[in-house]
C-alpha cells in the first residue's frame, strides 16, 4: 500500500466528525502529502452507494425490520467489504490518503462487546472484509459515556444510539480494550476543540517523520 490510511473511532457523540473536518481541511496544505496525492474522506457504514443503502437498513429501519445481532454483524461486514474493495484499496494503491469515519474497530466494540457476539468470529470476518488492510493511524476518541449521553440529548437517536446506557457502557469498554490491544492513539475527547485538533496534527506529523527515517 503506497498511501496512508487514517481512521477515527469512538462512541456516538464523541466529536470525531468535527475533528475529521478540521484534519481534512488542514492535511492538503500541511506539506505532508506527496505531490499529486489526493485525500479521500469516507465513512462506515456508508462509504459507497451500496453502503449508503446498507446504512439506512442498519440505522433507520422500522422496529419490525430490525436485524438480529448476527444479521447486523454481517451487514456491517458487507458494507466494509464493498468499501474496502471499491474505495479504500484503489485509493491507497494509487498513493492517495484515506480518512475513514469508523472502520473494523467499531464492529469489535459494538457487535463484539456491545452485542456480545463471538470476538473470534468477528476477527475472521474482519480479515475477509478488509482483505487484511490495517489503518496506519487509528484515533480513538475517548469520551465518558455520561458526556456522550448529555451531548446527544437534543438529537434524535438512530437504532444503535437508542440501545441505551448499559449497551453504550459495554461498547465504551470495548473501545478501551481494543485501543489497548491495537495500540491506537488515544484522544481525550472532552478537551477543548483546539487542543484536540493540535494533538491530531502532531500525531500525523510524527507518523510521517517516522516513515521518512
Ligand atoms: P456514525 O453515526 O458515527 O456514522 O455511526 C453509525 C452507527 O453505527 C454508530 O452508532 C456505530 C454503529 N456501528 C456499528 O455498530 N458497527 C460498525 O461496524 C460500524 C462501522 C458502526
Amino acid at each position: 500500500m503506497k498511501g496512508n490510511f487514517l481512521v477515527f473511532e469512538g462512541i456516538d457523540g464523541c466529536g470525531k466528525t468535527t475533528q475529521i473536518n478540521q484534519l481534512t481541511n488542514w492535511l492538503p496544505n500541511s506539506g505532508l502529502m506527496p505531490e499529486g496525492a489526493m485525500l479521500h474522506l469516507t465513512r462506515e457504514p456508508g462509504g459507497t452507494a451500496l453502503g449508503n443503502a446498507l446504512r439506512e437498513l442498519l440505522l433507520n429501519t422500522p422496529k419490525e425490520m430490525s436485524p438480529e445481532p448476527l444479521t447486523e454483524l454481517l451487514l456491517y461486514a458487507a458494507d466494509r467489504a464493498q468499501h474496502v474493495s471499491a474505495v479504500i484499496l484503489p485509493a491507497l494503491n494509487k498513493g492517495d490518503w484515506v480518512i475513514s469515519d469508523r472502520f473494523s474497530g467499531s464492529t469489535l466494540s459494538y457487535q463484539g462487546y456491545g452485542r456480545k457476539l463471538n470476538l473470534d468470529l468477528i476477527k475472521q470476518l474482519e480479515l475477509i472484509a478488509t482483505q487484511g488492510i490495517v489503518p496506519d493511524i487509528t484515533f480513538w476518541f475517548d469520551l465518558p459515556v455520561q458526556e456522550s449521553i448529555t451531548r446527544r440529548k437534543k438529537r434524535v437517536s438512530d437504532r444503535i444510539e437508542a440501545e441505551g446506557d448499559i449497551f453504550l457502557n459495554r461498547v465504551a469498554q470495548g473501545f478501551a480494550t481494543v485501543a489497548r490491544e491495537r495500540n491506537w492513539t488515544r484522544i481525550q475527547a472532552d478537551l477543548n476543540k483546539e487542543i484536540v485538533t493540535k494533538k491530531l496534527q502532531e500525531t500525523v506529523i510524527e507518523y510521517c517523520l517516522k516513515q521518512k527515517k
Side-chain angles (χ1 to χ4, degrees):
M1 271 179 2
K2 289 190 287 172
N4 274 318
F5 183 27
L6 314 181
V7 167
F8 285 69
E9 296 279 16
I11 57 173
D12 305 275
C14 66
K16 60 189 166 49
T17 310
T18 313
Q19 294 295 339
I20 286 173
N21 291 334
Q22 289 282 352
L23 200 70
T24 305
N25 289 334
W26 172 78
L27 258 179
N29 303 313
S30 65
L32 298 174
M33 294 179 59
E35 185 104 7
M38 275 174 56
L39 179 62
H40 303 258
L41 174 56
T42 184
R43 66 171 179 175
E44 290 194 358
T48 60
L50 177 64
N52 267 325
L54 291 172
R55 184 181 175 96
E56 273 307 298
L57 286 175
L58 279 160
L59 300 179
N60 299 319
T61 34
K63 235 193 164 71
E64 64 277 12
M65 265 177 68
S66 281
E68 292 292 318
L70 181 61
T71 316
E72 180 181 281
L73 169 67
L74 293 170
L75 289 173
Y76 278 112
D79 167 71
R80 182 159 307 123
Q82 181 76 3
H83 190 206
V84 167
S85 165
V87 175
I88 301 177
L89 263 181
L92 294 176
N93 284 336
K94 268 198 294 180
D96 288 350
W97 287 37
V98 177
I99 294 181
S100 185
D101 185 345
R102 299 193 182 281
F103 195 55
S104 53
S106 279
T107 310
L108 279 164
S109 306
Y110 282 88
Q111 281 65 51
Y113 290 86
R115 298 273 188 236
K116 300 185 179 170
L117 291 174
N118 184 287
L119 291 173
D120 288 332
L121 170 69
I122 294 178
K123 285 178 189 167
Q124 283 175 38
L125 273 175
E126 177 183 33
L127 209 56
I128 295 168
T130 62
Q131 300 183 44
I133 62 163
V134 177
D136 294 289
I137 306 174
T138 299
F139 293 109
W140 166 46
F141 277 52
D142 183 14
L143 186 75
V145 168
Q146 197 45 51
E147 178 64 19
S148 152
I149 293 164
T150 309
R151 284 187 185 182
R152 290 184 293 111
K153 271 220 164 93
K154 287 194 190 126
R155 268 178 24 195
V156 180
S157 293
D158 63 35
R159 191 179 61 82
I160 302 271
E161 287 167 342
E163 283 295 331
D165 305 5
I166 296 173
F167 175 81
L168 195 63
N169 263 301
R170 284 204 300 270
V171 173
Q173 277 167 18
F175 271 121
T177 305
V178 180
R180 214 176 315 116
E181 286 171 0
R182 299 194 168 188
N183 212 12
W184 289 353
T185 302
R186 176 179 175 269
I187 301 294
Q188 197 185 327
D190 54 359
L191 290 178
N192 152 321
K193 280 183 192 159
E194 285 73 30
I195 297 178
V196 173
T197 304
K198 199 149 187 288
K199 165 87 178 157
L200 298 180
Q201 293 176 352
E202 281 169 3
T203 306
V204 180
I205 291 169
E206 211 175 290
Y207 175 78
C208 290
L209 287 175
K210 265 197 207 142
Q211 296 268 91
K212 277 192 185 147
K213 275 186 197 157

